Amino acid sequence: QVLLVESGGGLVQPGGSLRLSCTASRNIFSINGINWYRQAPGKERELIGTITIGGTTTYADSVKGRFSISRDNARKTAYLQMNSLKPEDTAVYYCNANVLLNPGWTPTWYWGQGTQVTVSS
């Protein structure tokens, strides 16, 4: 059963914006760190940004200044705001989160199923 679900992908023109969401598909206790990755055809999966439970973010140089990660802990949801999109941003985007299913359990890393982002005119 898929635990994390991404949404918000699609086709956008160069220079446009998209906002991706990553949320749990069922009830969980909390989410710790969250990573966003992307994988373009024929390329390795690339870490593009992270956000801690406290909201501290880091970004890959390839997206710094254009992409922004945020989170809503009450909604157990993370967001990836992508601005000034370029054709080279075309990829499947994945969230990867450290999830605590129940209090007292060991947090576990989960992947979402991915959402396609295509930047093209």
Side-chain angles (χ1 to χ4, degrees):
Q1 183 179 9
V2 175
L3 180 65
L4 299 175
V5 178
E6 297 102 336
S7 60
L11 174 63
V12 63
Q13 292 187 343
S17 298
L18 282 175
R19 189 177 81 154
L20 307 184
S21 299
C22 171
T23 192
S25 61
R26 57 185 171 94
N27 191 39
I28 61 174
F29 184 71
S30 66
I31 299 178
N32 298 323
I34 302 168
N35 303 315
W36 284 96
Y37 287 80
R38 67 184 180 186
Q39 188 165 21
K43 294 189 176 182
E44 293 186 355
R45 193 168 293 190
E46 174 192 16
L47 175 63
I48 58 172
T50 66
I51 186 166
T52 67
I53 192 171
T56 300
T57 55
T58 58
Y59 301 96
D61 288 343
S62 57
V63 305
K64 198 174 293 183
R66 300 188 298 122
F67 290 11
S68 175
I69 299 173
S70 60
R71 62 189 293 164
D72 183 332
N73 290 332
R75 296 179 184 272
K76 301 181 178 67
T77 299
Y79 304 97
L80 177 64
Q81 177 67 43
M82 304 185 293
N83 300 325
S84 303
L85 282 161
K86 306 174 182 179
E88 52 263 44
D89 294 318
T90 295
V92 179
Y93 284 72
Y94 300 89
C95 65
N96 169 237
N98 189 240
V99 176
L100 183 59
L101 294 177
N102 290 289
W105 290 25
T106 300
T108 304
W109 288 95
Y110 290 89
W111 289 91
Q113 85 287 357
T115 186
Q116 176 70 45
V117 171
T118 302
V119 185
S120 175
S121 56

